[in-house]
Amino acid sequence: MATPQQPAGDEAGSVTRKSRLSREIVLEAALKLVDEEGLEALTMRRLGQALHRDPMGLYRYAANRAALLDGVTELVLDELAIFADDPDWQGQLRRIAHDLRLLALRHPNVVPLLVTRPLSTPLGLRPLGTLRPLEQILGLLIDAGFTASDALHVYRAYYGFLYGHILNELQEFIVDPDENEALLRLGLHRLPPKEFPRLRALAPALADYDGASELDEGLTILLSGLAAHLSAPLVKKG
Amino acid sequence: MATPQQPAGDEAGSVTRKSRLSREIVLEAALKLVDEEGLEALTMRRLGQALHRDPMGLYRYAANRAALLDGVTELVLDELAIFADDPDWQGQLRRIAHDLRLLALRHPNVVPLLVTRPLSTPLGLRPLGTLRPLEQILGLLIDAGFTASDALHVYRAYYGFLYGHILNELQEFIVDPDENEALLRLGLHRLPPKEFPRLRALAPALADYDGASELDEGLTILLSGLAAHLSAPLVKKG
DNA sequence: TAGGGATGTCTACATTGTAGATATTAGGCG
DNA sequence: CGCCTAATATCTACAATGTAGACATCCCTA
């Protein structure tokens, strides 16, 4: 009578009688696995054993592995909150950018999915969760006074820059944080000095990358430039 | 005696006696495979059979599959020519950007590698071929009068934007080019109208994406903004 | 002509995604 | 209360992958 749901067919004694699964639970377990052990650790069998389930059962919640990956990206993007009614579009875009940056830093192993999956899925067939930010930002810009097609231009430049920045920042990677010489810390000592003089000389600058402010400066340039070149609404700051 | 090199142990008669391999030949075959059939078609066995060789032999030219992928990205980036002595840095960066864009359009299946591989390899350990553009652009900017650390800032903003644009452009994908209604062409008809009104309304604008000019406009904004915010050299146009 | 390092080939194995058959459960109707 | 049906869970099996390790063969040099 320990497990009220089960009529004692399963005698083996492995106690964990599992509560009903759901797509959300599965995806969250998948995300956890990716966060902790990387993308290639997310296999059906590993995920199954993380959930104490038969791997085959997971196919009820994701048609195949690709769909599972899509689900994970969707789950991550859901963490991004967009308030489409803020009239300060520049401020709003700035906030979103920083939010997405932090999200990427929190889930670095998911970033390849974020940038890669859409490349193999036509716009109209993507998971809705990944299209929602696009729709919402378009709404934000249109509400702020942009033409629909100008809104699209702004969105493209903005999102392009944002994703590019995130990729850049995640790439500049510290090999050995214990080392205090910048050249060594970044592994740049391997590079032939003749061929890569400036890269090597820039080691210290590379080593202290302030991603947030670098992103912010770029955004300032880009957003004000966009505002100037297009049918810019007047609003600027709260 | 048909095959002079072989002392008649191999009787089966498959005639093609293969000329000596080289890393370049292997990588070029790999690139061809990726271009024609996509990334996941690049397996050791498929590549082996494309070269009429035993798959195991390929491990002499690439330590493992990951190294093979790195080699392919290196090969592709080698197509990019950078002339570090041009004093018109803006013009030069513009040209490079368009070159890289075209390169990406020519090898769309390689783009995931371009943006993804560096994420799993620390800067100092990357294939030299992928670091060369960075070094050269730094040289270009420094020669044009930028501080070394300003050059790095410019590079980051520039390359970030460029990669972002390329990703963006490759993502906006036509599902059914035969269809002449934009909504259908992009597969957007699947989206619930209530939730995605602007995206659906923008279908025509999405359908004719002029990547080159979109890239160019973004660059104009970004480069002139960067020049204004930093220790900008005076030179502008040839 | 003999040796030896480089190069090529074969077999084998662990791991993956996933199809398909089979067992087990839960709920509705007599 | 008991059976039938559909959902759900589990097992077995298979083809494909990367790659280790043993073996065979080549070709150049001495």
Side-chain angles (χ1 to χ4, degrees), chain A residues 89-90 94 146 154 157 217-232 236, chain B residues 217-226 229:
Chain A
W89 62 280
Q90 295 206 25
R94 225 187 212 94
F146 279 101
V154 173
E217 289 164 25
L219 280 176
T220 301
I221 290 173
L222 195 69
L223 291 180
S224 65
L226 285 169
H229 281 65
L230 299 177
S231 58
K236 253 206 78 181
Chain B
E217 288 164 25
L219 281 176
T220 301
I221 291 173
L222 195 69
L223 292 180
S224 65
L226 285 170
H229 280 64

Side-chain angles (χ1 to χ4, degrees), chain B residues 11-235:
Chain B
E11 75 297 78
S14 117
V15 213
T16 43
R17 206 62 253 128
K18 32 278 177 129
S19 53
R20 175 66 112 276
L21 240 48
S22 76
R23 176 155 214 264
E24 270 237 315
I25 295 178
V26 171
L27 292 182
E28 257 152 26
L31 176 57
K32 184 152 176 272
L33 211 54
V34 172
D35 279 343
E36 289 174 0
E37 308 192 39
L39 260 186
E40 64 280 13
L42 177 52
T43 73
M44 292 316 221
R45 290 175 230 254
R46 294 272 282 108
L47 184 56
Q49 100 183 36
L51 291 165
H52 305 101
R53 288 299 161 69
D54 187 290
M56 285 300 113
L58 303 176
Y59 283 91
R60 197 167 310 279
Y61 305 99
N64 49 36
R65 202 186 114 103
L68 194 68
L69 296 178
D70 279 340
V72 172
T73 72
E74 222 178 339
L75 187 63
V76 167
L77 278 186
D78 268 354
E79 293 182 32
L80 193 69
I82 294 177
F83 309 108
D85 47 0
D86 191 330
D88 175 16
W89 62 280
Q90 295 207 25
Q92 187 68 204
L93 289 188
R94 225 187 214 97
R95 191 194 52 75
I96 295 172
H98 281 101
D99 282 2
L100 189 66
R101 170 177 175 267
L102 291 176
L103 210 129
L105 293 179
R106 228 176 306 134
H107 305 287
N109 295 332
V110 180
V111 169
L113 294 183
L114 244 47
V115 301
T116 275
R117 296 286 319 151
L119 290 176
S120 41
T121 324
L123 232 174
L125 304 180
R126 300 208 194 127
L128 297 189
T130 66
L131 292 178
R132 218 157 273 134
L134 165 51
E135 172 72 22
Q136 287 172 309
I137 289 175
L138 286 178
L140 187 75
L141 292 169
I142 292 173
D143 287 357
F146 278 101
T147 303
S149 92
D150 277 354
L152 184 58
H153 280 82
V154 173
Y155 170 83
R156 281 177 180 150
Y158 163 78
Y159 231 62
F161 177 76
L162 177 52
Y163 267 81
H165 170 87
I166 288 174
L167 281 174
N168 253 347
E169 186 173 348
L170 283 182
Q171 281 179 20
E172 296 196 13
F173 189 47
I174 303 299
V175 181
D176 182 359
D178 291 342
E179 189 61 55
N180 59 8
E181 184 97 32
L183 259 186
L184 294 172
R185 205 159 7 145
L186 293 162
L188 293 176
H189 53 103
R190 270 177 14 104
L191 302 185
K194 292 272 154 71
E195 248 186 309
F196 296 91
R198 348 247 179 185
L199 232 187
R200 292 175 55 109
L202 276 170
L206 283 163
D208 60 283
Y209 187 158
D210 181 350
S213 72
E214 199 115 347
L215 172 62
D216 216 60
E217 288 164 25
L219 281 176
T220 301
I221 291 173
L222 195 69
L223 292 180
S224 65
L226 285 170
H229 280 64
L230 298 177
S231 58
L234 335 148
V235 203

Side-chain angles (χ1 to χ4, degrees), chain A residues 195-230:
Chain A
E195 249 187 309
F196 296 91
R198 349 248 179 184
L199 233 188
R200 292 175 56 111
L202 275 170
L206 282 163
D208 60 283
Y209 186 157
D210 181 350
S213 72
E214 198 113 349
L215 172 62
D216 215 61
E217 289 164 25
L219 280 176
T220 301
I221 290 173
L222 195 69
L223 291 180
S224 65
L226 285 169
H229 281 65
L230 299 177

Side-chain angles (χ1 to χ4, degrees), chain A residues 92-125:
Chain A
Q92 188 67 206
L93 289 188
R94 225 187 212 94
R95 191 193 53 74
I96 296 172
H98 281 103
D99 281 2
L100 189 64
R101 170 176 176 269
L102 292 175
L103 211 131
L105 293 178
R106 230 178 304 133
H107 305 287
N109 295 332
V110 181
V111 170
L113 293 183
L114 245 47
V115 301
T116 274
R117 296 285 320 151
L119 289 175
S120 42
T121 324
L123 232 174
L125 304 180

Side-chain angles (χ1 to χ4, degrees), chain A:
Chain A
M1 310 294 173
T3 59
Q5 310 265 43
Q6 222 67 346
D10 191 349
E11 77 296 77
S14 119
V15 211
T16 44
R17 204 62 248 129
K18 29 276 175 128
S19 53
R20 175 65 112 275
L21 240 47
S22 75
R23 185 176 154 87
E24 270 237 317
I25 296 177
V26 171
L27 292 182
E28 257 152 27
L31 175 57
K32 185 152 174 275
L33 212 53
V34 171
D35 278 343
E36 290 174 359
E37 309 193 38
L39 260 186
E40 65 280 12
L42 177 52
T43 73
M44 293 315 225
R45 291 174 230 252
R46 295 272 283 109
L47 184 56
Q49 104 184 32
L51 290 164
H52 305 102
R53 287 301 162 68
D54 187 291
M56 286 297 113
L58 303 175
Y59 284 92
R60 198 168 308 284
Y61 305 99
N64 48 36
R65 205 186 111 104
L68 194 69
L69 297 179
D70 279 340
V72 172
T73 72
E74 221 177 340
L75 187 63
V76 167
L77 277 186
D78 268 354
E79 292 182 33
L80 193 69
I82 294 177
F83 310 109
D85 47 0
D86 192 331
D88 175 15
W89 62 280
Q90 295 206 25
Q92 188 67 206
L93 289 188
R94 225 187 212 94
R95 191 193 53 74
I96 296 172
H98 281 103
D99 281 2
L100 189 64
R101 170 176 176 269
L102 292 175
L103 211 131
L105 293 178
R106 230 178 304 133
H107 305 287
N109 295 332
V110 181
V111 170
L113 293 183
L114 245 47
V115 301
T116 274
R117 296 285 320 151
L119 289 175
S120 42
T121 324
L123 232 174
L125 304 180
R126 304 213 188 119
L128 297 189
T130 66
L131 292 177
R132 218 158 272 134
L134 165 53
E135 172 73 23
Q136 287 171 309
I137 289 175
L138 287 178
L140 186 75
L141 291 169
I142 291 173
D143 288 357
F146 279 101
T147 302
S149 92
D150 276 354
L152 184 57
H153 280 82
V154 173
Y155 169 84
R156 281 178 181 151
Y158 163 78
Y159 232 62
F161 177 76
L162 177 53
Y163 268 82
H165 170 87
I166 288 173
L167 282 175
N168 254 346
E169 187 173 349
L170 283 181
Q171 282 180 19
E172 297 196 13
F173 189 46
I174 303 298
V175 182
D176 182 359
D178 291 342
E179 188 61 56
N180 59 7
E181 183 99 32
L183 259 187
L184 293 171
R185 197 149 24 132
L186 293 162
L188 293 175
H189 52 102
R190 271 180 12 104
L191 303 185
K194 292 273 155 70
E195 249 187 309
F196 296 91
R198 349 248 179 184
L199 233 188
R200 292 175 56 111
L202 275 170
L206 282 163
D208 60 283
Y209 186 157
D210 181 350
S213 72
E214 198 113 349
L215 172 62
D216 215 61
E217 289 164 25
L219 280 176
T220 301
I221 290 173
L222 195 69
L223 291 180
S224 65
L226 285 169
H229 281 65
L230 299 177
S231 58
L234 335 148
V235 202
K236 253 206 78 181
K237 287 204 161 183

